[in-house]
Tab-separated table of all heavy atoms in Angstrom:
chain	number	residue	atom	x	y	z
T	19	PHE	N	-11.060	-17.410	-1.631
T	19	PHE	CA	-10.246	-17.336	-0.496
T	19	PHE	C	-8.929	-16.603	-0.686
T	19	PHE	O	-7.882	-17.086	-0.303
T	19	PHE	CB	-10.101	-18.725	0.053
T	19	PHE	CG	-11.393	-19.358	0.427
T	19	PHE	CD1	-11.921	-20.313	-0.569
T	19	PHE	CD2	-11.955	-19.116	1.589
T	19	PHE	CE1	-13.087	-21.007	-0.204
T	19	PHE	CE2	-13.192	-19.749	1.781
T	19	PHE	CZ	-13.777	-20.673	0.950
T	20	ILE	N	-9.032	-15.630	-1.623
T	20	ILE	CA	-7.815	-14.950	-1.935
T	20	ILE	C	-7.645	-13.596	-1.085
T	20	ILE	O	-8.423	-12.638	-1.114
T	20	ILE	CB	-7.788	-14.472	-3.473
T	20	ILE	CG1	-7.949	-15.737	-4.265
T	20	ILE	CG2	-6.483	-13.891	-3.746
T	20	ILE	CD1	-8.058	-15.473	-5.811
T	21	PRO	N	-6.590	-13.640	-0.338
T	21	PRO	CA	-6.548	-12.431	0.718
T	21	PRO	C	-6.083	-11.271	-0.015
T	21	PRO	O	-5.404	-11.278	-0.997
T	21	PRO	CB	-5.398	-13.060	1.675
T	21	PRO	CG	-4.618	-13.839	0.797
T	21	PRO	CD	-5.521	-14.623	-0.077
T	22	ARG	N	-6.279	-10.103	0.712
T	22	ARG	CA	-5.669	-8.916	0.169
T	22	ARG	C	-4.176	-8.887	0.380
T	22	ARG	O	-3.690	-9.447	1.319
T	22	ARG	CB	-6.284	-7.679	0.944
T	22	ARG	CG	-7.801	-7.519	0.674
T	22	ARG	CD	-8.328	-6.325	1.323
T	22	ARG	NE	-9.812	-6.012	1.016
T	22	ARG	CZ	-10.470	-5.064	1.329
T	22	ARG	NH1	-9.878	-3.908	1.986
T	22	ARG	NH2	-11.703	-4.826	0.940
T	23	LEU	N	-3.582	-8.025	-0.387
T	23	LEU	CA	-2.058	-8.077	-0.287
T	23	LEU	C	-1.672	-7.140	0.703
T	23	LEU	O	-1.669	-5.808	0.500
T	23	LEU	CB	-1.566	-7.692	-1.699
T	23	LEU	CG	-1.889	-8.572	-2.895
T	23	LEU	CD1	-1.335	-8.082	-4.113
T	23	LEU	CD2	-1.306	-10.039	-2.517
T	24	SER	N	-1.477	-7.578	1.960
T	24	SER	CA	-1.224	-6.740	2.997
T	24	SER	C	0.175	-5.899	2.915
T	24	SER	O	0.483	-4.995	3.547
T	24	SER	CB	-1.168	-7.521	4.423
T	24	SER	OG	-0.157	-8.534	4.228
T	25	SER	N	1.104	-6.488	2.024
T	25	SER	CA	2.338	-5.801	1.837
T	25	SER	C	2.341	-4.676	0.813
T	25	SER	O	3.394	-4.100	0.603
T	25	SER	CB	3.457	-6.788	1.418
T	25	SER	OG	3.062	-7.420	0.230
T	26	ALA	N	1.153	-4.451	0.213
T	26	ALA	CA	1.161	-3.345	-0.793
T	26	ALA	C	1.602	-2.065	-0.257
T	26	ALA	O	1.266	-1.795	1.004
T	26	ALA	CB	-0.253	-3.348	-1.399
T	27	ALA	N	2.261	-1.252	-1.104
T	27	ALA	CA	2.707	0.114	-0.561
T	27	ALA	C	1.654	0.954	-0.168
T	27	ALA	O	0.502	1.025	-0.836
T	27	ALA	CB	3.627	0.592	-1.657
T	28	GLY	N	1.807	1.675	0.986
T	28	GLY	CA	0.839	2.533	1.475
T	28	GLY	C	-0.524	1.903	1.955
T	28	GLY	O	-1.438	2.667	2.084
T	29	GLY	N	-0.475	0.637	2.285
T	29	GLY	CA	-1.701	0.062	2.701
T	29	GLY	C	-2.696	-0.134	1.702
T	29	GLY	O	-3.968	-0.287	2.083
T	30	ARG	N	-2.471	-0.013	0.504
T	30	ARG	CA	-3.394	-0.048	-0.708
T	30	ARG	C	-3.859	-1.539	-0.797
T	30	ARG	O	-3.278	-2.458	-0.300
T	30	ARG	CB	-2.795	0.289	-1.962
T	30	ARG	CG	-2.723	1.857	-2.126
T	30	ARG	CD	-1.963	2.213	-3.309
T	30	ARG	NE	-2.500	3.470	-3.913
T	30	ARG	CZ	-1.694	4.166	-4.782
T	30	ARG	NH1	-0.334	3.768	-4.968
T	30	ARG	NH2	-2.042	5.409	-5.198
T	31	ASP	N	-5.053	-1.643	-1.473
T	31	ASP	CA	-5.497	-2.990	-2.017
T	31	ASP	C	-5.447	-2.876	-3.559
T	31	ASP	O	-6.399	-2.786	-4.241
T	31	ASP	CB	-6.996	-3.227	-1.548
T	31	ASP	CG	-7.394	-4.573	-1.931
T	31	ASP	OD1	-6.656	-5.424	-2.398
T	31	ASP	OD2	-8.719	-4.777	-1.906
T	32	PRO	N	-4.213	-2.954	-4.094
T	32	PRO	CA	-3.931	-2.643	-5.540
T	32	PRO	C	-4.448	-3.774	-6.487
T	32	PRO	O	-4.504	-4.964	-6.143
T	32	PRO	CB	-2.472	-2.320	-5.630
T	32	PRO	CG	-1.948	-3.243	-4.567
T	32	PRO	CD	-3.025	-3.291	-3.512
T	33	ARG	N	-4.565	-3.312	-7.650
T	33	ARG	CA	-4.808	-4.310	-8.993
T	33	ARG	C	-3.707	-3.755	-9.927
T	33	ARG	O	-3.466	-2.579	-10.156
T	33	ARG	CB	-6.132	-4.048	-9.520
T	33	ARG	CG	-7.267	-4.962	-8.953
T	33	ARG	CD	-7.657	-4.371	-7.545
T	33	ARG	NE	-8.907	-4.907	-7.162
T	33	ARG	CZ	-9.442	-4.784	-6.001
T	33	ARG	NH1	-8.938	-3.886	-5.075
T	33	ARG	NH2	-10.636	-5.278	-5.536
T	34	PHE	N	-3.126	-4.836	-10.475
T	34	PHE	CA	-2.193	-4.574	-11.527
T	34	PHE	C	-2.559	-5.438	-12.772
T	34	PHE	O	-2.652	-6.709	-12.633
T	34	PHE	CB	-0.789	-4.927	-10.991
T	34	PHE	CG	0.308	-4.743	-12.063
T	34	PHE	CD1	0.263	-3.941	-13.223
T	34	PHE	CD2	1.471	-5.562	-11.916
T	34	PHE	CE1	1.237	-3.817	-14.120
T	34	PHE	CE2	2.557	-5.441	-12.904
T	34	PHE	CZ	2.382	-4.611	-13.977
T	35	VAL	N	-2.749	-4.685	-13.932
T	35	VAL	CA	-3.215	-5.529	-15.138
T	35	VAL	C	-2.245	-5.203	-16.229
T	35	VAL	O	-1.751	-3.954	-16.404
T	35	VAL	CB	-4.653	-4.954	-15.552
T	35	VAL	CG1	-5.146	-5.681	-16.879
T	35	VAL	CG2	-5.646	-5.222	-14.465
T	36	THR	N	-1.882	-6.254	-16.977
T	36	THR	CA	-1.060	-6.023	-18.180
T	36	THR	C	-1.738	-6.531	-19.373
T	36	THR	O	-2.329	-7.525	-19.424
T	36	THR	CB	0.249	-6.847	-18.071
T	36	THR	OG1	1.168	-6.425	-16.949
T	36	THR	CG2	1.174	-6.657	-19.307
T	37	ILE	N	-1.857	-5.646	-20.443
T	37	ILE	CA	-2.408	-6.070	-21.665
T	37	ILE	C	-1.358	-6.110	-22.685
T	37	ILE	O	-0.589	-5.085	-22.891
T	37	ILE	CB	-3.498	-4.851	-22.207
T	37	ILE	CG1	-4.596	-4.778	-21.007
T	37	ILE	CG2	-4.065	-5.163	-23.455
T	37	ILE	CD1	-5.505	-3.783	-21.320
T	38	ILE	N	-1.146	-7.259	-23.335
T	38	ILE	CA	-0.314	-7.475	-24.507
T	38	ILE	C	-0.902	-7.090	-25.689
T	38	ILE	O	-1.927	-7.864	-26.102
T	38	ILE	CB	0.312	-8.821	-24.299
T	38	ILE	CG1	0.751	-9.213	-22.921
T	38	ILE	CG2	1.373	-9.048	-25.485
T	38	ILE	CD1	2.044	-8.536	-22.545
T	39	LEU	N	-0.379	-6.336	-26.726
T	39	LEU	CA	-0.900	-6.107	-27.898
T	39	LEU	C	0.050	-6.860	-28.836
T	39	LEU	O	1.102	-6.555	-29.209
T	39	LEU	CB	-0.905	-4.702	-28.317
T	39	LEU	CG	-1.493	-3.674	-27.345
T	39	LEU	CD1	-1.522	-2.225	-27.831
T	39	LEU	CD2	-2.952	-4.013	-27.108
T	40	ARG	N	-0.446	-8.111	-29.244
T	40	ARG	CA	0.297	-9.031	-30.164
T	40	ARG	C	0.318	-8.665	-31.627
T	40	ARG	O	-0.864	-8.494	-32.123
T	40	ARG	CB	-0.143	-10.353	-29.885
T	40	ARG	CG	0.232	-10.972	-28.508
T	40	ARG	CD	-0.070	-12.412	-28.269
T	40	ARG	NE	0.304	-12.887	-27.028
T	40	ARG	CZ	-0.319	-13.892	-26.456
T	40	ARG	NH1	-1.215	-14.545	-27.070
T	40	ARG	NH2	0.151	-14.225	-25.191
T	41	GLY	N	1.371	-8.490	-32.245
T	41	GLY	CA	1.535	-8.229	-33.622
T	41	GLY	C	2.217	-6.971	-33.876
T	41	GLY	O	2.606	-6.663	-35.139
T	42	ALA	N	2.643	-6.241	-32.844
T	42	ALA	CA	3.473	-5.010	-32.931
T	42	ALA	C	2.786	-3.717	-33.300
T	42	ALA	O	2.436	-3.505	-34.345
T	42	ALA	CB	4.726	-5.310	-33.922
T	43	LEU	N	2.512	-2.993	-32.216
T	43	LEU	CA	1.763	-1.743	-32.359
T	43	LEU	C	2.756	-0.721	-33.072
T	43	LEU	O	3.978	-0.511	-32.664
T	43	LEU	CB	1.346	-1.157	-30.946
T	43	LEU	CG	0.963	0.200	-30.864
T	43	LEU	CD1	-0.440	0.394	-31.557
T	43	LEU	CD2	0.870	0.837	-29.407
T	44	ASP	N	2.107	0.062	-33.947
T	44	ASP	CA	2.935	1.229	-34.382
T	44	ASP	C	2.657	2.354	-33.553
T	44	ASP	O	1.669	3.094	-33.630
T	44	ASP	CB	2.304	1.508	-35.921
T	44	ASP	CG	3.072	2.684	-36.627
T	44	ASP	OD1	3.953	3.250	-35.879
T	44	ASP	OD2	2.772	2.954	-37.804
T	45	GLY	N	3.631	2.631	-32.682
T	45	GLY	CA	3.592	3.700	-31.733
T	45	GLY	C	3.669	5.066	-32.363
T	45	GLY	O	3.079	6.062	-31.724
T	46	LEU	N	4.165	5.162	-33.519
T	46	LEU	CA	4.169	6.406	-34.199
T	46	LEU	C	2.857	6.896	-34.898
T	46	LEU	O	2.661	8.138	-35.068
T	46	LEU	CB	5.328	6.506	-35.379
T	46	LEU	CG	6.670	6.297	-34.932
T	46	LEU	CD1	7.680	6.174	-36.080
T	46	LEU	CD2	7.199	7.515	-33.940
T	47	THR	N	1.873	5.896	-34.961
T	47	THR	CA	0.591	6.272	-35.303
T	47	THR	C	-0.343	6.396	-34.065
T	47	THR	O	-1.193	7.311	-34.011
T	47	THR	CB	0.003	5.317	-36.289
T	47	THR	OG1	0.682	5.301	-37.519
T	47	THR	CG2	-1.402	5.491	-36.462
T	48	ALA	N	-0.176	5.544	-33.155
T	48	ALA	CA	-0.918	5.513	-31.970
T	48	ALA	C	-0.660	6.786	-31.045
T	48	ALA	O	-1.528	7.535	-30.591
T	48	ALA	CB	-0.602	4.423	-30.986
T	49	VAL	N	0.695	7.251	-31.035
T	49	VAL	CA	1.069	8.471	-30.334
T	49	VAL	C	2.019	9.292	-31.167
T	49	VAL	O	3.189	9.229	-31.062
T	49	VAL	CB	1.699	8.189	-28.879
T	49	VAL	CG1	1.963	9.524	-28.183
T	49	VAL	CG2	0.944	7.230	-28.010
T	50	PRO	N	1.442	9.954	-32.099
T	50	PRO	CA	2.323	10.632	-33.232
T	50	PRO	C	3.116	11.871	-32.474
T	50	PRO	O	2.605	12.593	-31.825
T	50	PRO	CB	1.344	11.120	-34.257
T	50	PRO	CG	0.119	11.201	-33.569
T	50	PRO	CD	0.158	10.130	-32.487
T	51	PRO	N	4.505	11.718	-32.918
T	51	PRO	CA	5.332	12.923	-32.399
T	51	PRO	C	5.200	14.046	-33.473
T	51	PRO	O	6.058	14.462	-34.034
T	51	PRO	CB	6.653	12.317	-32.493
T	51	PRO	CG	6.688	11.292	-33.489
T	51	PRO	CD	5.262	10.671	-33.518
T	52	ALA	N	4.043	14.678	-33.410
T	52	ALA	CA	3.674	15.720	-34.442
T	52	ALA	C	4.669	17.011	-34.318
T	52	ALA	O	4.800	17.731	-35.300
T	52	ALA	CB	2.339	16.198	-34.214
T	53	GLY	N	5.171	17.190	-33.108
T	53	GLY	CA	6.063	18.232	-32.873
T	53	GLY	C	7.440	17.903	-33.468
T	53	GLY	O	8.358	18.952	-33.536
T	54	ASP	N	7.808	16.746	-33.790
T	54	ASP	CA	9.115	16.276	-34.400
T	54	ASP	C	9.144	16.906	-35.840
T	54	ASP	O	8.291	16.602	-36.654
T	54	ASP	CB	9.419	14.833	-34.336
T	54	ASP	CG	10.761	14.526	-34.804
T	54	ASP	OD1	11.242	14.986	-35.906
T	54	ASP	OD2	11.443	13.875	-34.009
T	55	PRO	N	10.137	17.714	-36.330
T	55	PRO	CA	10.136	18.270	-37.596
T	55	PRO	C	10.177	17.227	-38.708
T	55	PRO	O	9.930	17.654	-39.947
T	55	PRO	CB	11.339	19.224	-37.588
T	55	PRO	CG	12.170	18.718	-36.491
T	55	PRO	CD	11.270	18.268	-35.383
Side-chain angles (χ1 to χ4, degrees):
F19 303 99
I20 302 173
R22 293 187 177 186
L23 301 177
S24 58
S25 65
R30 279 173 156 155
D31 181 17
R33 276 75 168 172
F34 178 27
V35 179
T36 296
I37 299 176
I38 307 291
L39 305 183
R40 290 184 178 155
L43 167 71
D44 185 353
L46 293 176
T47 293
V49 186
D54 187 304

